[in-house]
Amino acid sequence: MSKIGRTFPGISGPKRILVTGASGGLGSALARVHAAPGVSLCLWGRDRARLDAAADQCRALGSAVEVRSLDLADGEAALDALRAEDADMRFDMAYLVAGRGDTRAPGQRIESAGLALRLGQVNFSVPAAMASELVQHMAERGGGRVVLIGSAAGQHALPFAAAYAASKAGLARYAQALRIAAAPLGVSVTLAAPGFIDTPAGRAVPGPKPLLLGADEAARRIARAAMAGKGHFVTPWPFAALRVIDRMLPTGLRARLLRGLAPPGG
């Protein structure tokens, strides 16, 4: 029995699951949360070696696993691959985890145009398009679950991570709109907005990381929220409180505080 089965006893969990970003720490942890006999997983990721390692872990837990190595910067290729995979597996749940957390390079005052373009594609445009495609297919089959991975950073105008914060903010608004449209069709859409997660990619980002969550714990919390049908899930909870505080601050004070959050050298 998967961890989801133990969390929701008596409730049948999803059996055909797509996880993008499965070569990363959170994506692979989400795959393991669901891995169990009778569950088929389709894992996507950029790093083939880490992707194969994640697949082996899930197979050891009893799942049938297929893998695909690709970069979501090519949106049309990603959509073509999604259509082909869904025609074969008929996904009843999808975690769209893939994204990049790049910030302003040391010594730069403003992020590069190239970084803004890439993060807009990988963090917003492509996962939004994939979510829309999945909802349409799931609705035709009578239901399903789509989980988009945002970030607590999307709640704040971070001057050293403008493209990252903006792309996650855009994804949050898109998820909200898609959730409203998809609910009458029997498809739930969840936006998970975690704070700092202890992954190799996260450790590479300089600066303090308060309320750090382990990848496995973050995955369990997100999976529980998705299975419960929550629309917007922020974890740990203090990040939800920070969102309220941010909106209450005077504009000038907010700007000074956000500038002060820049990591050393950023």
Side-chain angles (χ1 to χ4, degrees):
M1 181 183 292
S2 70
K3 297 181 182 69
I4 287 299
R6 293 194 293 272
T7 302
F8 294 90
I11 297 178
S12 177
K15 300 299 183 185
R16 301 174 303 279
I17 305 170
L18 169 68
V19 183
T20 72
S23 59
L26 179 59
S28 61
L30 283 164
R32 290 193 300 272
V33 164
H34 287 276
V39 176
S40 295
L41 298 170
C42 183
L43 307 183
W44 290 18
R46 287 192 300 265
D47 188 303
R48 187 56 191 253
R50 293 203 300 263
L51 185 62
D52 286 340
D56 287 343
Q57 292 172 348
C58 292
R59 291 187 184 108
L61 293 169
S63 279
V65 184
E66 299 291 336
V67 298
R68 181 183 288 268
S69 181
L70 81 173
D71 190 333
L72 295 190
D74 188 341
E76 290 299 331
L79 285 173
D80 287 344
L82 176 62
R83 293 176 185 123
E85 299 281 12
D86 185 71
D88 181 49
M89 292 188 67
R90 299 170 64 86
F91 298 120
D92 50 18
M93 188 168 195
Y95 288 98
L96 303 181
V97 186
R100 298 187 67 94
D102 308 54
T103 61
R104 188 176 65 199
Q108 286 186 336
R109 294 186 177 184
I110 300 295
E111 291 176 357
S112 70
L115 179 63
L117 179 61
R118 181 171 179 82
L119 265 61
Q121 292 172 324
V122 174
N123 289 357
F124 171 63
S125 297
V126 177
M130 292 179 65
S132 180
E133 186 78 13
L134 283 161
V135 167
Q136 292 185 57
H137 291 294
M138 289 176 176
E140 292 170 358
R141 297 193 288 264
R145 302 177 189 275
V146 175
V147 185
L148 290 151
I149 303 300
S151 170
Q155 303 171 7
H156 309 287
L158 302 177
F160 57 91
Y164 178 72
S167 62
K168 293 298 187 180
L171 191 68
R173 181 53 59 91
Y174 189 88
Q176 181 185 28
L178 186 62
R179 178 168 63 252
I180 294 169
L185 305 175
V187 181
S188 71
V189 176
T190 297
L191 175 81
F196 297 104
I197 300 178
D198 187 19
T199 65
R203 289 191 289 272
V205 177
K209 300 175 179 65
L211 303 174
L212 186 68
L213 277 178
D216 289 338
E217 177 59 24
R220 285 191 290 270
R221 294 184 184 188
I222 292 169
R224 286 197 296 267
M227 292 298 296
K230 291 187 178 180
H232 189 183
F233 176 64
V234 179
T235 187
W237 69 264
F239 283 99
L242 286 174
R243 179 187 183 188
V244 176
I245 294 171
D246 180 283
R247 292 181 175 183
M248 294 174 61
L249 291 173
T251 302
L253 176 59
R254 182 190 304 116
R256 289 196 296 275
L257 290 173
L258 290 172
R259 278 195 294 267
L261 294 175

